[in-house]
Amino acid sequence: MSENVSVRVSRVDAEVGRGEGGGVALGEVRRMWHLLEPLHAVFYYAPEVFEEAAALGYDVTERWPSYFAYRAAPLGAVGSERVASAFYSFSPRMVAEHIEPAWRTASPEAVLAARDRAVDRLYRGLFGERAHSPELAEAAALARRAAESVTTAGRPLAAANAELPWPEPAHLQLWRAATILREHRGDGHLAALLIVDLDPTESLVSFAAIGAASVARFESRGWTPAEWSAARDRLAARGLVDADGTATEAGRSLRREVERHTDRLAAAPWQFLGPADTARLADLLGEFWVAAIGSGLLPSETTLGIGKV
């Protein structure tokens, strides 16, 4: 991995401390998220992905109809309440708008097949000949080992993806492993939000309050201005934000606590893989991370706070 990539994705190491018992540091746990998340998330913005969704009959004039179908498909033909619960920070109205017609358009099985086809096309285009390289195959094998080790109890999205059969080409396995690991971390993140009593809207308002992303970016989650304002008022009553929505020191401390809880809850697969193999995977992922970041497909600002937390 190039030096500038290593610096950018490892800054958090000193901030979140070491792992217990000489294992993988919590900073490394967060660094692996920073590396793997773009390799997963580029999927939701790629032309190939929209083309496969359009072939199934989904409206692709905006990204949300295919986003909800692709991400929820591992759960099966579930209703909007269960999807809203698993996705957490999206307005239930927005979830219902896209999930209620989703399975009338195509079955979850058809969506999952389209998802694999789209990943195949996307990664071949993104990585070129490197999609078939020994380095990618090694990275996929290591990531798969980590993904197969996850405990999925209480983690519905991780469990749903982990239950699917593994595809054969290594580049599809890399994306599948990245997806299981990011959903495993995401499911744990929701538990961390519940621990500190942040409801779905408050979780976004408090995240915007520390500058993780702009308020305008969080509008993509479907909450009304009145709902956003009410959540801000609730946080202000707890002393977590000022009147203008900026986080107080207590609010910043609470969000740091959420991220530390999230790192701890995401640590198990990396402790299983061990420090040496985790470091090796990080090195192998560098060039593919650069390709994803450099593709121009990902937005410059996301609601996940990548690079800011």
Side-chain angles (χ1 to χ4, degrees):
M1 181 164 53
S2 63
E3 182 177 357
N4 63 321
V5 171
S6 178
V7 169
R8 288 184 64 184
V9 300
S10 62
R11 288 176 185 166
V12 296
D13 184 69
E15 298 175 9
V16 299
R18 304 296 302 175
E20 296 181 4
V24 174
L26 289 183
E28 287 296 290
V29 172
R30 198 178 300 184
R31 181 166 78 124
M32 296 311 297
W33 169 52
H34 285 184
L35 283 167
L36 286 166
E37 181 64 29
L39 293 173
H40 162 82
V42 70
F43 173 89
Y44 294 111
Y45 300 92
E48 298 91 339
V49 175
F50 292 119
E51 289 167 5
E52 293 290 345
L56 293 178
Y58 289 99
D59 177 9
V60 294
T61 56
E62 61 170 345
R63 77 183 186 98
W64 295 116
S66 60
Y67 170 87
F68 280 98
Y70 279 130
R71 191 173 173 215
L75 296 168
V78 297
S80 60
E81 185 165 352
R82 274 187 278 181
V83 174
S85 173
F87 286 19
Y88 198 72
S89 65
F90 286 90
S91 161
R93 291 183 307 276
M94 183 178 183
V95 177
E97 176 187 352
H98 297 296
I99 285 297
E100 289 182 359
W103 316 132
R104 295 195 298 270
T105 303
S107 69
E109 293 77 14
V111 173
L112 289 171
R115 193 173 79 163
D116 281 348
R117 291 195 300 271
V119 172
D120 181 46
R121 295 174 58 198
L122 166 62
Y123 270 16
R124 287 176 187 272
L126 202 59
F127 304 145
E129 292 183 359
R130 299 297 288 166
H132 311 290
S133 67
E135 290 79 12
L136 187 143
E138 184 183 355
L142 288 168
R144 178 173 174 173
R145 277 179 54 205
E148 288 182 327
S149 78
V150 301
T151 299
T152 57
R155 302 187 195 236
L157 287 171
N161 281 279
E163 192 174 35
L164 299 173
W166 284 89
E168 285 302 320
H171 57 288
L172 294 190
Q173 291 192 13
L174 178 61
W175 188 85
R176 178 70 60 77
T179 299
I180 293 169
L181 290 163
R182 71 90 60 187
E183 296 293 18
H184 176 267
R185 181 184 177 91
D187 289 335
H189 182 65
L190 303 191
L193 292 170
L194 291 170
I195 288 170
V196 299
D197 195 23
L198 290 175
D199 70 23
T201 323
E202 293 165 357
S203 70
L204 301 181
V205 176
S206 64
F207 210 32
I210 66 168
S214 65
V215 172
R217 174 60 62 180
F218 286 110
E219 289 175 354
S220 67
R221 292 299 186 259
W223 302 100
T224 67
E227 289 167 331
W228 187 274
S229 179
R232 186 179 61 199
D233 290 345
R234 294 193 298 274
L235 294 177
R238 294 171 60 183
L240 300 175
V241 300
D242 292 330
D244 65 355
T246 302
T248 63
E249 183 50 43
R252 291 184 178 278
S253 177
L254 188 76
R255 288 302 317 197
R256 286 193 294 270
E257 182 181 350
V258 167
E259 298 308 323
R260 284 194 295 269
H261 277 311
T262 302
D263 290 330
R264 292 187 187 104
L265 290 169
W270 307 114
Q271 300 296 358
F272 174 85
L273 199 60
D277 282 345
T278 297
R280 174 60 177 164
L281 177 57
D283 286 340
L284 289 165
L285 289 176
E287 66 170 294
F288 305 110
W289 181 90
V290 168
I293 294 294
S295 68
L297 295 171
L298 293 166
S300 59
E301 180 184 50
T302 78
T303 57
L304 297 174
I306 292 286
K308 296 186 178 182
V309 298

